[in-house]
Amino acid sequence: MTQAEMAHTCRGTINLATAHIDTEDACNIVLSSGGRTYHLKAGTEVERQRWVTALELAKAKAIRMMNDQSDDSGEEEPTSRSDRSELQGALKTLASKLDDLSTCNELIAKHGAALQRSLSELETLRVPLEGSEKIKAVNERATLFRITSNAMINACRDFLELAESHSRRWQRVLQHEREQRTHLEETIEQLAKQHNSLERAWREAPTHSTNTPDTPSTHTGVSERPRKEEASDEDEDTEYFDAMEDSPAFITVTATDPSQHRRSQSNLSGASGGQPSEWNLEDHSSPSYNDLSGKEVQPRRKRRSRIPDKPNYSLNLWSIMKNCIGKELSKIPMPVNFNEPLSMLQRLTEDLEYSELLDKAARCENSLEQMCLVAAFSVSSYSTTVHRTAKPFNPLLGETYELDRLEEFGYRSLCEQVSHHPPAAAHHVMSQRGWSLWQEITIASKFRGKYLSIMPLGAIHLRFHASGNHYVWRKVTSTVHNIIVGKLWIDQSGDIDIVNHRTKETCQLKFSPYSYFSREVPRKVTGVVGDSEGQAHYILSGTWDERMESAKIVQSSRGSSGAEGKQKTVYQTLSPRLLWKKYPLPENAENMYFFSSLALTLNEEEAGVSLTDSRLRPDQRLMEEGQWDEANSEKQRLEEKQRAVRRRRETEASDAMDEEYEIDSGREYEGYQPLWFHQRTDPLTGETSFVYKGGYWEAKEKQDWSMCPDIF
């Protein structure tokens, strides 16, 4: 219907309350009711979805109006026998209680009247004036008591009548809400299935028969179906990537030759024609690219593969609130119900879950290929967070955690909590397979009502020994949604800029935030690897919870203008190559805090570790064993012990300042100093951070922990 036709007679009507709303394809809507069917067509898929939403809302309103009318007429009964019996049972209980109250009222009235008669008789007797006044006062109170009892029973009777008159309407409203919720769940499930089937169809689309072995394939960042009336003059396997400029997602652009058409395909698609390059040949020899090097080495020690199941404890918010009464905010103990039995130091160590990517990168002679693997490693550190909504334990000041996997995977890792306010942890990893990694991470968080933003501050450094390539990058923002109500879920969003400071090569990764209305793949990550001159060489694509791929660029050209009027670059690429794929979670992971295989071993008891190691933390150990009440008590004891140490340290600092005026005292208070890390200024970033100063592994070999503080 056009705007000009709006003033003319309506072409027909349909009862939305009984109508069935369906969609044929991307733009068509079908309305049917009582043998009458209307076919509507929207201009775009987005416009079609808006119409469907508006029609569904109008249908729900029509159903509510119809139900309200039927409730007023009193002709309809509750919708189900179970609801009817439940309602009748409630009314019967109310009537029984009302009878009890009536009986009590009669007894009160009877005894009250007798009391008044007795008091009246006493008034007629000759008693002192003071006694007469008291009897009169008691008589008045008895009268008030009888009036109050009558008012109470009348109020109860009114309540019962009101419940009876409105019971049907309440039941109708409840039933309608249940139906709407069920309908919404079914709609969301159907949309999810359609999305998965479309994505699978694109991936499994057969290659065109005219495709030659030398034809390169290309990718685009937006997935859409080809229109039926369009015939492609170009290779069916030709796809395109848009350059990452300002838009976080790639868009479909027109090819250089306007007479040619091309179809788009999802970033994650691996279905493309053409022979793989030499770089890709390695991929086809093994099912997973990260099933290489370290993971093939059989560990000499058998690590544990499970922990006790998480207890099914309900979280009593009132028990938390009552413990907060009269206490300072900083002293409020948070129960372990919100935690998982790992410390933040152990979570930081989980970044090494896919360390074999760095082992492979160390053997790369091409620095651009090495950059692709480093980028995949930076993304892989988020794969364990998708189901991990519980928070790790906050480390105590001076707490450490070591992970010695020298025999299995060739590396040793050490973390230490170097600051408490603000909380900061330093991490150092040395690998015998040609690389070193170090970082200092400070966690900043902001509560924004419905969600919590967690912003890791600090740079991650990675250096390869043979080439001297030094990579630096920073983590993205993590967001925990539904803090107040609903099921918790985590999203990652933002940009990661990886820089090779030796060659000046860069990689720009974009973590797209989740959007319910977006047609993009959830948890999507895209990126471009470029040289020192800004020339793009590789396209990266994937998701941060599943896999990452790379595709070598063979040709680039300027495309059409984007939504903001800026011209995009079209990249033509070879077949995608699998860089990284997530390992499946262990069996029964949902009952073990969704821990990965590495996470299950992190808190395993180990002999010879430092006295400050997280494995020896008693509250964390009790929680892992399922003793949550004892863990809460122990957690509160440790936190109070840490506060006492901090107060003593502050007193010492105050005393040192008081003595500064004495010239000959020679006393200078340095404050808390970490045991295994010291502050240094980084020559590349210019930032001051804590770096490993050595000595830990030597102390472990000697089993000399005399310098360790007593924190547990």
Side-chain angles (χ1 to χ4, degrees):
M1 180 177 289
T2 65
Q3 190 71 23
E5 294 174 318
M6 293 292 291
H8 296 285
T9 306
C10 182
R11 297 186 180 182
T13 60
I14 193 169
N15 186 4
L16 280 177
T18 59
H20 178 68
I21 304 172
D22 197 8
T23 56
E24 283 186 336
D25 52 28
C27 297
N28 289 335
I29 307 171
V30 179
L31 291 177
S32 57
S33 177
R36 178 176 296 178
T37 303
Y38 288 96
H39 294 267
L40 310 177
K41 185 172 183 179
T44 63
E45 188 172 353
V46 174
E47 186 180 355
R48 183 214 66 180
Q49 188 58 43
R50 289 176 180 171
W51 271 103
V52 171
T53 303
L55 289 170
E56 290 286 358
L57 292 174
K59 178 180 177 181
K61 185 176 180 181
I63 293 174
R64 282 199 302 270
M65 293 175 63
M66 185 176 66
N67 290 338
D68 290 343
Q69 292 173 358
S70 62
D71 288 338
D72 293 338
S73 63
E75 294 177 356
E76 296 189 15
E77 295 296 325
T79 54
S80 66
R81 293 183 179 179
S82 60
D83 292 337
R84 179 186 299 177
S85 60
E86 182 180 354
L87 180 61
Q88 290 176 349
L91 292 175
K92 186 176 180 181
T93 303
L94 285 174
S96 175
K97 296 297 181 183
L98 186 61
D99 291 339
D100 294 342
L101 288 173
S102 298
T103 303
C104 293
N105 182 67
E106 292 174 0
L107 291 173
I108 291 172
K110 178 180 177 181
H111 294 301
L115 178 61
Q116 283 184 315
R117 284 196 301 271
S118 300
L119 292 174
S120 299
E121 292 173 357
L122 287 174
E123 287 181 351
T124 60
L125 298 177
R126 294 180 179 180
V127 294
L129 181 61
E130 183 179 353
S132 177
E133 292 295 333
K134 289 184 178 179
I135 292 173
K136 185 177 181 181
V138 172
N139 194 10
E140 291 176 354
R141 291 181 181 178
T143 302
L144 290 174
F145 179 72
R146 183 165 58 91
I147 294 172
T148 304
S149 299
N150 290 332
M152 178 186 68
I153 200 69
N154 290 334
C156 292
R157 185 178 290 108
D158 292 341
F159 171 75
L160 179 61
E161 292 175 356
L162 187 64
E164 290 175 342
S165 64
H166 288 278
S167 60
R168 281 200 186 124
R169 178 164 297 182
W170 293 343
Q171 191 64 30
R172 286 290 184 185
V173 171
L174 179 61
Q175 183 65 23
H176 174 70
E177 293 299 328
R178 288 174 179 171
E179 292 175 354
Q180 289 297 105
R181 178 179 176 180
T182 303
H183 177 69
L184 181 60
E185 291 175 350
E186 291 174 353
T187 302
I188 293 176
E189 183 179 0
Q190 183 180 4
L191 288 173
K193 290 179 179 178
Q194 290 176 355
H195 178 82
N196 291 334
S197 62
L198 286 173
E199 185 178 295
R200 194 160 49 247
W202 278 122
R203 290 178 180 171
E204 298 173 358
T207 58
H208 197 268
S209 58
T210 59
N211 186 37
T212 60
D214 296 330
T215 303
S217 68
T218 54
H219 290 264
T220 183
V222 172
S223 181
E224 61 180 40
R225 293 183 290 181
R227 298 182 61 178
K228 297 178 182 178
E229 60 268 23
E230 290 182 354
S232 176
D233 298 325
E234 195 175 344
D235 253 334
E236 279 297 309
D237 288 320
T238 302
E239 306 152 88
Y240 289 90
F241 266 123
D242 264 329
M244 288 187 59
E245 295 178 0
D246 294 326
S247 177
F250 300 126
I251 62 172
T252 303
V253 296
T254 306
T256 305
D257 184 356
S259 65
Q260 293 180 336
H261 301 276
R262 57 93 186 90
R263 69 179 177 88
S264 304
Q265 190 168 358
S266 168
N267 272 351
L268 298 181
S269 173
S272 57
Q275 296 293 331
S277 64
E278 293 182 1
W279 194 29
N280 291 337
L281 287 175
E282 300 178 38
D283 270 334
H284 298 272
S285 63
S286 62
S288 175
Y289 183 74
N290 46 299
D291 287 336
L292 298 171
S293 65
K295 299 296 181 183
E296 296 177 356
V297 179
Q298 293 296 326
R300 299 185 181 181
R301 173 184 171 181
K302 182 176 177 57
R303 306 284 178 179
R304 69 180 184 181
S305 58
R306 65 171 293 110
I307 59 174
D309 287 357
K310 177 181 178 181
N312 188 20
Y313 287 158
S314 60
L315 185 61
N316 190 341
L317 291 177
W318 167 241
S319 65
I320 301 173
M321 296 300 296
K322 70 181 182 181
N323 291 331
C324 301
I325 298 175
K327 293 186 178 181
E328 296 180 14
L329 186 62
S330 60
K331 296 183 180 180
I332 294 175
M334 295 303 294
V336 298
N337 305 57
F338 295 104
N339 289 64
E340 62 180 17
L342 289 178
S343 74
M344 188 62 198
L345 303 181
Q346 291 165 315
R347 282 290 291 267
L348 198 60
T349 307
E350 278 192 74
D351 287 358
L352 303 174
E353 176 96 22
Y354 299 93
S355 62
E356 69 273 10
L357 291 173
L358 300 184
D359 298 340
K360 180 66 178 178
R363 298 194 295 269
C364 276
E365 297 181 359
N366 186 309
S367 59
L368 291 171
E369 296 178 6
Q370 188 179 76
M371 174 69 85
C372 293
L373 291 167
V374 172
F377 174 78
S378 69
V379 174
S380 69
S381 63
Y382 298 98
S383 63
T384 62
T385 66
V386 62
H387 299 297
R388 303 272 288 277
T389 55
K391 66 182 289 292
F393 279 78
N394 291 329
L396 302 173
L397 186 61
E399 185 175 335
T400 60
Y401 180 74
E402 70 160 70
L403 188 66
D404 190 346
R405 293 291 190 268
L406 202 61
E407 295 181 353
E408 296 101 317
F409 307 127
Y411 67 79
R412 276 177 166 175
S413 167
L414 176 66
C415 292
E416 181 178 5
Q417 188 75 0
V418 296
S419 173
H420 190 65
H421 291 295
H427 184 204
H428 182 268
V429 189
M430 174 65 75
S431 172
Q432 291 181 339
R433 298 178 182 174
W435 54 271
S436 299
L437 182 145
W438 64 96
Q439 59 180 320
E440 179 196 335
I441 298 297
T442 301
I443 301 297
S445 60
K446 288 186 179 180
F447 179 62
R448 305 180 185 272
K450 294 182 180 180
Y451 61 92
L452 177 70
S453 294
I454 303 171
M455 295 153 286
L457 308 177
I460 304 173
H461 294 258
L462 172 65
R463 188 174 65 85
F464 292 99
H465 304 160
S467 62
N469 289 335
H470 189 149
Y471 297 87
V472 179
W473 70 92
R474 301 175 190 273
K475 290 180 176 288
V476 297
T477 298
S478 301
T479 306
V480 184
H481 294 269
N482 293 342
I483 293 293
I484 301 299
V485 64
K487 184 178 180 181
L488 293 175
W489 61 280
I490 292 180
D491 193 21
Q492 315 289 348
S493 60
D495 299 332
I496 291 182
D497 294 328
I498 307 176
V499 180
N500 183 345
H501 283 271
R502 189 184 73 84
T503 63
K504 306 304 178 185
E505 295 163 348
T506 61
C507 174
Q508 297 175 336
L509 291 173
K510 181 74 175 180
F511 287 65
S512 300
Y514 174 80
S515 174
Y516 180 80
F517 301 101
S518 174
R519 293 191 297 166
E520 295 290 349
V521 178
R523 309 181 186 97
K524 180 180 178 181
V525 181
T526 51
V528 177
V529 175
D531 58 23
S532 58
E533 303 296 328
Q535 179 68 33
H537 290 265
Y538 290 95
I539 292 294
L540 305 180
S541 61
T543 59
W544 53 263
D545 68 323
E546 189 63 34
R547 59 192 286 147
M548 285 297 293
E549 297 174 344
S550 68
K552 186 176 179 60
I553 298 171
V554 294
Q555 186 178 354
S556 64
S557 60
R558 303 302 293 180
S560 62
S561 298
E564 299 179 359
K566 296 183 179 180
Q567 198 174 31
K568 304 291 182 178
T569 302
V570 180
Y571 292 128
Q572 193 177 11
T573 69
L574 295 176
S575 301
R577 170 203 187 200
L578 181 64
L579 292 173
W580 159 75
K581 185 177 181 180
K582 179 185 177 182
Y583 296 128
L585 289 175
E587 185 179 357
N588 196 39
E590 64 277 5
N591 295 321
M592 298 186 294
Y593 309 90
F594 287 98
F595 281 177
S596 64
S597 298
L598 174 63
L600 288 173
T601 68
L602 292 180
N603 206 43
E604 186 176 8
E605 294 183 4
E606 191 165 326
V609 298
S610 168
L611 302 179
T612 57
D613 196 274
S614 298
R615 298 178 180 88
L616 305 178
R617 181 165 173 164
D619 54 347
Q620 188 173 298
R621 180 65 61 187
L622 287 169
M623 183 191 178
E624 180 183 282
E625 294 171 353
Q627 304 178 49
W628 283 19
D629 292 336
E630 295 83 352
N632 279 320
S633 301
E634 193 65 21
K635 183 173 182 287
Q636 191 170 353
R637 180 189 69 82
L638 291 175
E639 291 173 350
E640 186 56 42
K641 181 177 181 179
Q642 180 173 240
R643 293 189 196 100
V645 172
R646 186 174 70 248
R647 287 193 295 268
R648 185 173 67 249
R649 193 176 295 117
E650 290 172 351
T651 302
E652 293 175 357
S654 178
D655 294 343
M657 292 183 63
D658 292 341
E659 295 179 10
E660 281 184 358
Y661 69 92
E662 298 181 14
I663 301 177
D664 298 331
S665 66
R667 180 179 180 184
E668 183 180 353
Y669 184 75
E670 295 183 355
Y672 176 77
Q673 296 297 323
L675 200 56
W676 311 110
F677 291 80
H678 56 182
Q679 276 191 321
R680 291 292 183 268
T681 300
D682 187 86
L684 296 178
T685 64
E687 298 176 347
T688 301
S689 60
F690 283 92
V691 295
Y692 181 57
K693 65 181 180 181
Y696 179 87
W697 303 107
E698 292 78 5
K700 181 181 180 181
E701 186 177 353
K702 298 176 183 178
Q703 281 300 295
D704 179 15
W705 303 117
S706 58
M707 74 295 289
C708 293
D710 177 19
I711 61 174
F712 299 143

